[in-house]
Amino acid sequence: MTKMCTKLILALVLVAALALPISAQIVADAPTEGRTGVTYTHWKVEYDTAEVTLSQTWIPISVFLPIQENLEAQVFFSTASSSVDAGFADARVTGLGDLRLQLNKSVMEDQVLLSLGMSVPTGKTELDLGAESTLLQILAESYLDVPSRRWGEGLGLNFLVGGAQQWRGLSLAASIAYWYSGAYTPYEGYDDYNPGDVFRLVARAQKPGDEVTWSGGLAYAYYGTDKVDGDETFRQSPYLQLYGGLDYRRDEMRMSHYLRFTIRGDNETYVEGAESQTLKLYGNEAQLLSRVIFDVAPQWQAGPTLSIRYIAGNDIGFDESYTYRIGGLVGKSLTEKHSLYLEARYMGGSANGGDISLSGLQLMLELKAEL
């Protein structure tokens, strides 16, 4: 039972660690805006003697609301349907994720940003400990790229303070944020799971130019200890993330290239009646993101996209992994306030030093509208 609890907690932790929080920033003179769409992802994972397929359809909805000068709100929620065919266990889970709300206020002539956010527990919880937990563990595999890795959690609150300055042609910004996570029931009969709170520090720099804009930054996150019924069970490793990139625009072409490195520390597992165990369960990571977009006709844009991701091995015998995504994007301005984007990607790679073969397809459709 202890091993099962540890595996389930680890799946939850990796899912939460890989989820992206809603952003906190002031967008000057931006109109009310809504975005929605659908992303379909299909992965085939081939082992020596078995094959697993994972499919997911994800529908996000986000709304940006300027309330008054220097005050704005953001709302985000989504629904997802995920299914796995693992031969020994087939499962499908469909449900809402948690509703996320963010309120941002800039003060001191836009040099300081204050942000308060809430994650409302509207998502699906209390999964059964059979096939649905198997699906969650597969979604938590670090080498599989899917847009939604979790459903519901407990009540969440976040607080952020940030600042921005201009210095010698550079735009500099930094922020400190704290995320509080409330307890919830992830599985049936598995009550009072309380994820550790998170502290995060972010710093960014940007060098704008007539044609080329350079950017770089870092992010550091530290996680508190997860608890079950008040007992310490697991602590996610801290990480340091570094990134750099450039955006180039000339005439009818726009190009973006970004390189990101993530350095992770050790995780800590607590077992009743024994000393805690410290191991790196998730390897360091490097990722390249690249996109070139051309204005191919009035109101039309198109171009290729590329992503390459490498994950180093960990301390429990799982070797290095890499994946790539090659695709193309087409966009159309329907009106002055409405636009539509479609992107298709072929995905491939390998995991565990080549013992696992990966292939897949991802289709993304997005509709953007100013209100």
Side-chain angles (χ1 to χ4, degrees), residues 109 173 250 319 328 346:
E109 298 181 346
R250 185 174 182 180
D319 210 341
Y346 173 78

Side-chain angles (χ1 to χ4, degrees), residues 252-302:
E252 299 176 344
M253 182 191 74
R254 298 177 299 282
M255 179 172 59
S256 300
H257 303 292
Y258 288 90
L259 188 60
R260 182 170 62 198
F261 297 95
T262 304
I263 304 167
R264 293 183 169 86
D266 292 336
N267 304 85
E268 195 161 3
T269 303
Y270 302 85
V271 180
E272 185 177 357
E275 293 184 1
S276 61
Q277 186 179 31
T278 302
L279 292 169
K280 177 175 282 193
L281 301 178
Y282 189 57
N284 297 337
E285 181 179 328
Q287 186 173 20
L288 171 68
L289 304 170
S290 187
R291 171 180 293 184
V292 182
I293 304 297
F294 299 92
D295 295 329
V296 295
Q299 313 303 320
W300 284 90
Q301 306 86 39

Side-chain angles (χ1 to χ4, degrees), residues 198-261:
V198 183
F199 168 84
R200 193 164 187 252
L201 171 67
V202 175
R204 300 186 178 97
Q206 189 178 75
K207 175 67 173 177
D210 294 336
E211 294 183 346
V212 179
T213 296
W214 297 90
S215 59
L218 63 86
Y220 172 79
Y222 179 84
Y223 294 81
T225 303
D226 296 0
K227 296 180 180 180
V228 175
D229 292 328
D231 296 326
E232 295 182 334
T233 55
F234 191 85
R235 184 178 63 81
Q236 170 69 5
S237 68
Y239 72 80
L240 175 65
Q241 192 172 85
L242 309 171
Y243 85 92
L246 67 88
D247 293 280
Y248 175 81
R249 179 175 186 132
R250 185 174 182 180
D251 298 330
E252 299 176 344
M253 182 191 74
R254 298 177 299 282
M255 179 172 59
S256 300
H257 303 292
Y258 288 90
L259 188 60
R260 182 170 62 198
F261 297 95

Side-chain angles (χ1 to χ4, degrees), residues 21 72 76 107 138 141 153 162 164 181 194 232 264 266 274-276 302 310 316 335:
E72 66 184 34
F76 177 85
V107 296
I138 292 174
E141 293 290 359
E153 293 188 321
S181 300
N194 192 346
E232 295 182 334
R264 293 183 169 86
D266 292 336
E275 293 184 1
S276 61
Y310 170 83
I316 57 174
T335 69

Side-chain angles (χ1 to χ4, degrees), residues 310-331:
Y310 170 83
I311 304 172
N314 59 23
D315 289 344
I316 57 174
F318 197 88
D319 210 341
E320 63 186 11
S321 306
Y322 85 93
T323 57
Y324 61 87
R325 299 180 299 176
I326 301 175
L329 179 148
V330 176

